[in-house]
Amino acid sequence: MLDASVSQTSESDVQQVDVVVVGAGFAGLYLIHRLRKAGFTAMGLESASDVGGTWYWNRYPGARCDIQTTDYSYTFDPELESAWKWSEKYATQPEILRYLGFVADRYDLRRDIRFGTQVEAATWDEAAQRWLLTTGNGTPVSCRYYIMASGCLSSPKPPEIAGVDDFKGEIYFTGRWPHEGVELAGKRVAIIGTGSSGIQATPMIADQAAHLTVFQRTPNFAYPAHNGPSPADRVAMLEKDRNDYREQARWSLVGVPLPRATDFSWQLTEAERRERFEKALAAGDLVVMLTQLWADQGVDAEGNALAADLIRERIRSIVKDPGTAEALTPRDHPFGSKRPCLETNYFATYNRANVTLVNLRQEPIERITGSGIKTDRRTIDVDVIVFATGFDAMTGAIMAVHPIAGRGGKSLSDVWANGPRTYLGLTVAGFPNLFMITGPGSPSVLSNMSVSIEQHADWVVDRLIEMRQAGFTTIEATETAQAGWTRHMADCSALTLHRLANTWYTGANVPGKAQGVMPYTGGVGPYRTICNDVVSRGMLGFKLNAPNGAEQCNDGEIVRLQPDVRLVLNMLADMNLPPLESLGAQGARAFVGEFNASRPAGRPVGEVVGGSLSGADGPLPYRLYRPATPGPHPMVVYFHGGGWVLGDEQSDDPFCRDMCRRTGMIFLSVGYRHAPEHRFPAAAEDGYAALRWIAEHAAELGGRPGPLLVAGWSAGGNIAAVTCQLARDRGGPEIAGQLLVCPVTDCTFDRPSYSDNATGYFLTRSLMYWFWDLYCSPADRTDPRVSPLRGKLEGLPPAFVATCEFDPLRDEGNAYAEALTAAGVPVEHLQARGHFHSSLTMVDVVITGANGRIQMAKALRRFAGLETGQDDGGVIQSRKVLSAEVSAAAE
Ligand code: NAP
């Protein structure tokens, strides 16, 4: 099949090519096309006898794609797009295989593919700076670049059940279904596994078999595919402007151009939520149900449970036998944390007389016998066993080439013994010139694969072209870049619920496999931006070498911010806002008011009431947040942020609500006076006066008798710190603890964070200068009532100090925590990695900030003498699960 243009060295019997591509599925075919067009000699090595990849092997009854065909297609060639018409919304396996054959023919790709060829080992030849591949068929191949396009779900998992060899009947694997088909009519069939393959195959097998017994270990979330012609609205969207549609897909979160829901579940009524669910159900689309219900469905267990309950309800409404319905109802993982499935008559199939469900949670399989399957309760005799037990996903096909020996002879299996580590899911440090397409660490299986494949193939081939132009012949990820990517991957997965389920996404389906979320959960569009940033920042994190000794290495980490912080800052940068300080105090207040109005509404608490208290020079407004739990509650006096100039008692509303819920305490937010109308020490004196008034009126406010707590963010953190000093010096009231979130503590601007984070992280150095100028004259700035770091610190209440890495105020906050400690004050200090000044208060926008708030709430409860363990103020269960991860996530 190979073209003569692939050069051969007759002396050594080793074929020499520029690039080897392993796999001739969606990825391999496109790569060969692009490489050839770019003038590289490329050879495909494919173990199957033809093109198709996963669609070559998965021929089981019912096999179809589960991304709509409008989206599950190549997009690189508009002529190809118009030359092919899909017949259905979700094409069958034979049609997809025909499509891939059509593509192979159209671009004459088969001539560069050696079929029936398994790559057995790959060794980096240090002297030649090339890979040497040995194969199960034909001569070895030497290549400059070695690309694994071997698929994420192509290595079927062994059955792991004792006695398989004893079985006298027929055995089939969905992932290796015989090409000639299987005759099931009149037979007693068992199917093991209820993932996507099992759910697609079950109704089809039930139609043919005399009896079908389904062996289910874990029930899955599934909803109807509503297959048929492609929906008119989707086709219209595509036809209206194909380029725009495709471009939107490339920058979307999952590779399908659908906007995500922006309303949170608690902003919708039950009827509204149900209406959205019914609409998503009617759409028959995996992505619609996963992204279009409400904004918190994929990141928050409570929002997720609302969606999961509706799907569960539907199962109960279809399956007639209540016991079977219950067994089919998924309860052990959040919806979407495991790949959900599209179904066609799956649940209804259990109403058939010839179908039985065996719940392996109640009666596990002991072994397979000569005649059937033995559980710990009985033996079920069958003629055929179908294993729909899944794949050694994401790493299985890569590791099947063994060894892949990189620099210094290191084997990839050893390097990945504790789980895959990659840079961008594309490369591995120590393995020069090796690329993976949709490898672990890239969006891959959490995306529309066709979009991700094209992006990866383009990125790789574009780099090879650039390297050729620059004279470089090797490329290798640095350890620093890879470690940074691994950390970013962990940060991203802490945002989603994927880590809460045992799935093939995490390696949990394969006994003994290292566990961890393998795909990149940060989204297709953000990932594409990052890959492009790597290039625009001089191939950041890669070392490039040329035969003449030239070397380029621009080392570093591509993402140091938390993923959601990065998105928020990018969004703010795109808005091109004028500097706040250029708007004047009134203009800045109006702007912040408008900005706050557009943020998600805070979550419900027991009660929110406004009122008025006595400040230092007249009445001040306040807002009180009361928990839903029975009182009286400990009270936290809260001071909002805003540089002593902006904000009011309502401006940190989501934060107060969230902390009220988490702590189970009253938060009372004080509307202290602002500069420039009221300059120093107005805010400080208001803070202290408010504390006194609240202490005197605690009982009537529903507060628990005894010491108060104080808290504040930013300039509010400054007021909180000052208030503690004043209360100590002026004879009370007693304070049980102080929470200082990114506080202003000192008047000098020479600490490194003022230059490291001077711009680009929303709170800028020049904005801080402006705040200081409006509030306090230079002569007063060393007064401890505005620079508490310069005050006496002994005898202050215990403190929780939170500082953020990318905040100009970071170092003065750190200095305050250190100085308090030195003064003998018990201090808990959270230094939030990858966060910016607003991370901890932008509730439901910067989701990763929740980890810090969990710690803060625990500290406040501890200060108040409450239990910190189980009761988190009625906050959702996931937060309890998450709390175990807090210390790891927020250093
Ligand atoms: P899967 O989702 O991993 O499902 C395997 C099933 O087998 C699970 O129910 C699993 O139970 C069960 N199982 C595994 N080992 C078992 C054992 N030793 N004893 C009893 N039960 C066992 O695999 P899949 O269904 O082949 O799907 C894999 C992925 O391929 C899908 O998630 C999807 O991404 C893709 N796929 C897509 C389509 C499509 O519609 N386009 C079709 C098929 C597959 P546990 O859950 O308890 O482990």
Side-chain angles (χ1 to χ4, degrees):
M1 290 272 202
L2 274 171
D3 183 40
S5 71
V6 176
S7 67
Q8 310 216 2
T9 45
S10 50
E11 313 90 63
S12 63
D13 262 353
V14 174
Q15 275 184 290
Q16 306 279 338
V17 289
D18 295 330
V19 190
V20 161
V21 175
V22 180
F26 253 101
L29 292 179
Y30 178 51
L31 271 166
I32 290 173
H33 171 66
R34 270 229 58 192
L35 287 163
R36 196 194 272 168
K37 268 183 70 176
F40 293 102
T41 54
M43 178 195 287
L45 297 176
E46 166 59 61
S47 58
S49 63
D50 199 358
V51 300
T54 197
W55 300 106
Y56 173 93
W57 297 107
N58 284 272
R59 299 173 185 238
Y60 61 85
R64 290 176 186 273
C65 59
D66 59 4
I67 293 288
Q68 294 198 27
T69 44
T70 39
D71 304 279
Y72 194 64
S73 302
Y74 289 114
T75 67
F76 65 86
D77 181 354
E79 286 179 18
L80 169 64
E81 287 208 49
S82 38
W84 181 266
K85 286 274 167 290
W86 293 105
S87 67
E88 288 179 280
K89 178 180 171 188
Y90 298 110
T92 58
Q93 173 272 334
E95 186 173 7
I96 303 172
L97 193 58
R98 275 201 304 282
Y99 172 69
L100 293 171
F102 173 79
V103 171
D105 290 342
R106 186 177 175 93
Y107 303 102
D108 189 17
L109 300 176
R110 285 189 179 88
R111 70 181 157 91
D112 281 342
I113 302 169
R114 198 198 280 176
F115 290 105
T117 304
Q118 185 82 35
V119 181
E120 291 183 335
T123 309
W124 174 246
D125 179 343
E126 207 77 61
Q129 300 283 289
R130 294 173 72 87
W131 283 95
L132 181 68
L133 272 52
T134 52
T135 68
N137 169 27
T139 54
V141 188
S142 164
C143 55
R144 176 74 64 198
Y145 303 104
Y146 162 35
I147 308 180
M148 290 298 278
S150 43
C152 296
L153 294 156
S154 43
S155 191
K157 196 171 76 100
E160 308 145 4
I161 299 173
V164 176
D165 291 340
D166 299 340
F167 186 59
K168 302 275 188 300
E170 304 159 53
I171 286 188
Y172 301 104
F173 289 82
T174 48
R176 290 289 181 271
W177 201 257
H179 289 199
E180 61 281 9
V182 176
E183 183 52 69
L184 296 171
K187 293 181 181 162
R188 296 164 304 165
V189 180
I191 183 166
I192 304 177
T194 51
S196 302
S197 304
I199 283 179
Q200 285 184 335
T202 291
M204 307 294 285
I205 296 177
D207 270 348
Q208 303 167 44
H211 195 92
L212 173 65
T213 310
V214 182
F215 291 80
Q216 171 194 271
R217 191 162 64 185
T218 311
N220 249 323
F221 287 100
Y223 36 93
H226 295 312
N227 197 25
S230 284
D233 55 345
R234 187 69 73 86
V235 174
M237 259 170 84
L238 174 66
E239 296 302 343
K240 191 171 156 223
D241 185 342
R242 227 167 233 272
N243 283 341
D244 181 56
Y245 184 95
R246 298 299 187 208
E247 201 53 18
Q248 279 188 46
R250 292 181 186 119
W251 296 99
S252 66
L253 273 164
V254 295
V256 179
L258 297 172
R260 280 171 89 89
T262 51
D263 301 316
F264 288 82
S265 58
W266 65 88
Q267 294 174 284
L268 303 166
T269 62
E270 199 188 330
E272 286 167 335
R273 286 198 296 267
R274 189 169 286 275
E275 191 186 323
R276 285 184 181 211
F277 173 73
E278 295 297 341
K279 205 169 149 205
L281 205 59
D285 188 302
L286 213 53
V287 181
V288 169
M289 188 66 90
L290 281 166
T291 60
Q292 308 271 292
L293 297 178
W294 33 89
D296 47 325
Q297 69 179 96
V299 294
D300 180 292
E302 196 176 75
N304 186 277
L306 292 165
D309 281 346
L310 291 166
I311 301 177
R312 293 185 188 117
E313 191 182 298
R314 177 176 172 270
I315 297 171
R316 284 194 297 276
S317 76
I318 298 173
V319 181
K320 290 190 179 135
D321 174 58
T324 307
E326 180 51 32
L328 286 166
T329 301
R331 297 197 186 278
D332 74 338
H333 61 278
F335 165 58
S337 60
K338 190 170 186 156
R339 172 93 171 194
C341 314
L342 288 182
E343 56 101 3
T344 302
N345 293 330
Y346 174 68
F347 292 112
T349 294
Y350 290 93
N351 295 332
R352 294 176 64 127
N354 71 332
V355 175
T356 315
L357 179 71
V358 175
N359 182 351
L360 299 180
R361 296 281 179 214
Q362 285 171 357
E363 48 174 321
I365 296 177
E366 279 189 349
R367 60 177 297 111
I368 290 173
T369 66
S371 63
I373 298 174
K374 182 174 182 322
T375 71
D376 67 356
R377 292 190 189 168
R378 54 188 161 151
T379 297
I380 295 160
D381 288 340
V382 291
D383 306 307
V384 178
I385 300 177
V386 174
F387 284 95
T389 42
F391 300 88
D392 182 356
M394 307 215 64
T395 54
I398 298 173
M399 309 278 248
V401 176
H402 185 72
I404 297 179
R407 224 180 256 297
K410 268 198 184 149
S411 156
L412 188 62
S413 328
D414 292 339
V415 172
W416 280 5
N418 296 321
R421 297 277 180 277
T422 68
Y423 184 34
L424 304 171
L426 276 161
T427 57
V428 185
F431 294 80
N433 291 3
L434 166 67
F435 294 98
M436 294 164 298
I437 301 301
T438 63
S442 73
S444 58
V445 292
L446 292 178
S447 70
N448 172 5
M449 278 302 228
S450 57
V451 167
S452 287
I453 283 169
E454 285 190 342
Q455 185 260 339
H456 261 194
D458 286 339
W459 194 93
V460 171
V461 178
D462 289 346
R463 299 299 74 75
L464 299 193
I465 294 170
E466 286 162 9
M467 284 171 64
R468 185 174 57 190
Q469 282 162 355
F472 291 118
T473 49
T474 64
I475 174 170
E476 184 181 349
T478 69
E479 293 285 354
T480 311
Q482 184 164 289
W485 189 249
T486 304
R487 203 173 304 118
H488 175 59
M489 286 274 297
D491 290 342
C492 288
S493 72
L495 262 171
T496 71
L497 303 175
H498 289 295
R499 71 202 178 289
L500 303 181
N502 293 327
T503 66
W504 60 260
Y505 291 147
T506 66
N509 67 327
V510 177
K513 188 167 174 172
Q515 304 231 354
V517 178
M518 290 187 286
Y520 177 71
T521 54
V524 165
Y527 175 80
R528 179 180 290 263
T529 313
I530 291 167
C531 290
N532 293 350
D533 286 352
V534 165
V535 179
S536 66
R537 292 171 66 183
M539 290 302 286
L540 185 72
F542 282 107
K543 196 162 78 177
L544 306 174
N545 288 89
N548 64 6
E551 182 178 310
Q552 174 193 311
C553 182
N554 185 10
D555 204 0
E557 297 171 35
I558 187 64
V559 186
R560 291 181 55 211
L561 292 166
Q562 290 292 330
D564 43 3
V565 170
R566 190 174 158 274
L567 293 180
V568 168
L569 289 173
N570 284 349
M571 199 186 70
L572 289 168
D574 287 349
M575 288 162 81
N576 220 356
L577 301 170
L580 267 186
E581 60 274 28
S582 70
L583 303 176
Q586 290 307 335
R589 284 173 193 156
F591 176 85
V592 168
E594 215 173 292
F595 192 78
N596 284 346
S598 67
R599 71 191 165 185
R603 293 185 193 224
V605 293
E607 183 189 32
V608 181
V609 286
S612 170
L613 54 77
S614 301
D617 189 31
L620 300 174
Y622 71 77
R623 208 164 207 233
L624 182 146
Y625 300 84
R626 194 187 312 285
T629 49
H633 303 96
M635 292 185 77
V636 182
V637 181
Y638 179 75
F639 302 106
H640 66 83
W644 307 287
V645 175
L646 313 173
D648 56 31
E649 73 283 4
Q650 304 194 22
S651 57
D652 292 351
D653 179 80
F655 180 70
C656 290
R657 286 174 185 268
D658 190 75
M659 291 301 289
C660 167
R661 286 164 59 91
R662 287 178 192 281
T663 55
M665 298 182 189
I666 289 175
F667 262 63
L668 195 148
S669 175
V670 179
Y672 57 87
R673 287 171 296 160
H674 288 149
E677 295 86 347
H678 305 281
R679 287 166 61 85
F680 172 82
E685 293 298 341
D686 274 353
Y688 177 63
L691 178 80
R692 287 192 60 148
W693 186 91
I694 294 163
E696 283 157 18
H697 296 81
E700 58 201 80
L701 293 167
R704 193 184 69 173
L708 298 170
L709 298 106
V710 297
W713 166 57
S714 193
N718 172 273
I719 297 168
V722 169
T723 299
C724 289
Q725 295 191 12
L726 295 180
R728 177 201 55 197
D729 297 342
R730 296 179 182 176
E734 200 187 333
I735 297 175
Q738 50 180 326
L739 167 64
L740 311 178
V741 186
C742 305
V744 182
T745 69
D746 195 23
C747 56
T748 54
F749 307 111
D750 52 4
R751 293 186 175 85
S753 57
Y754 252 98
S755 30
D756 295 351
N757 306 319
T759 57
Y761 304 106
F762 198 56
L763 177 64
T764 61
R765 176 168 60 188
S766 71
L767 183 57
M768 279 310 300
Y769 288 166
W770 184 66
F771 285 147
W772 272 99
D773 286 344
L774 290 191
Y775 181 53
C776 192
S777 334
D780 291 327
R781 290 189 185 179
T782 53
D783 190 312
R785 284 177 300 165
V786 70
S787 290
L789 185 59
R790 291 166 193 254
K792 180 184 152 212
L793 303 181
E794 286 77 12
L796 289 175
F800 186 102
V801 182
T803 54
C804 291
E805 185 180 5
F806 295 96
D807 181 359
L809 305 183
R810 177 193 68 204
D811 292 344
E812 65 193 81
N814 289 346
Y816 199 64
E818 284 158 23
L820 285 174
T821 308
V825 176
V827 175
E828 194 176 333
H829 186 186
L830 166 68
Q831 299 186 61
R833 178 178 56 76
H835 283 288
F836 79 129
H837 186 66
S838 306
S839 281
L840 298 168
T841 49
M842 281 184 106
V843 178
D844 295 315
V845 176
V846 178
I847 312 277
T848 49
N851 290 335
R853 290 194 303 279
I854 292 170
Q855 287 190 16
M856 294 178 199
K858 282 193 165 187
L860 287 177
R861 287 182 66 85
R862 204 172 43 249
F863 297 155
L866 301 179
E867 274 190 26
T868 56
Q870 346 75 326
D871 182 9
D872 52 4
V875 178
I876 55 174
Q877 199 116 44
S878 69
R879 299 273 155 81
K880 289 178 194 162
V881 178
L882 286 171
S883 64
E885 297 166 44
V886 166
S887 35
E891 286 164 11

